Amino acid sequence: MIAETVCSAVAVAGLGIAGVLAFRKRFLKAARTAAYALVPLGLVMTGAVEWVVDTAFSPTAWAGFGVLGVAWLMFMGTRAVERRRSGRPAKEDKAAVAPGASAPSLGESRRTPPAVQQKQPKQSKAEPTEDFSDIEAILKKHGI
């Protein structure tokens, strides 16, 4: 009851200040002040203030907030553990790979044929060799 009275008084005072500002031809500031003044009045009229007051003095509501807090902490804790474990392989994964192996063996079907391997490193003979004579001339010109 007291909270509703205080909110209503704040709204009336804010609207009075907005009226004075409008009288002084500061309409933008008056409109903004009136908007702020109407917020507590709207909260009283919707019943939000009564709900907050009832919640603030209710042990059941505080116990509910405690349960929500514990649930949130458990959720965040499991997420942290999950993130920490995602970077490491599990114990079963470590045993699956031989200690000296760099990659798992996939069998002979994954290998490239020898003919393809020979063709890749070869270069065509039509490519000219690199000629650095012009670069050497520039470097000699500058005394390098």
Side-chain angles (χ1 to χ4, degrees):
M1 183 76 162
I2 294 174
E4 288 90 354
T5 306
V6 169
C7 287
S8 299
V10 167
V12 170
L15 290 174
I17 293 170
V20 170
L21 289 171
F23 181 73
R24 293 184 182 172
K25 308 255 189 239
R26 294 186 170 200
F27 296 111
L28 184 62
K29 204 166 192 172
R32 188 175 296 132
T33 304
Y36 281 124
L38 291 175
V39 169
L41 186 63
L43 290 173
V44 167
M45 293 174 76
T46 59
V49 174
E50 183 180 346
W51 178 81
V52 169
V53 170
D54 289 342
T55 304
F57 296 113
S58 171
T60 307
W62 283 106
F65 284 125
V67 168
L68 287 174
V70 168
W72 182 78
L73 286 174
M74 289 174 65
F75 177 71
M76 296 309 287
T78 57
R79 293 282 305 226
V81 170
E82 187 177 75
R83 284 185 190 152
R84 182 175 272 187
R85 283 189 183 172
S86 68
R88 299 183 200 158
K91 290 185 179 182
E92 298 85 28
D93 294 342
K94 288 181 183 178
V97 178
S102 61
S105 60
L106 299 175
E108 295 295 324
S109 63
R110 298 282 185 185
R111 283 188 159 180
T112 56
V116 175
Q117 288 179 353
Q118 289 176 0
K119 289 181 182 177
Q120 289 175 351
K122 289 185 180 180
Q123 295 178 356
S124 64
K125 293 182 180 180
E127 291 180 15
T129 58
E130 297 178 275
D131 187 22
F132 293 110
S133 60
D134 55 343
I135 297 173
E136 289 176 5
I138 293 171
L139 293 173
K140 285 181 183 178
K141 180 180 175 183
H142 291 288
I144 300 175

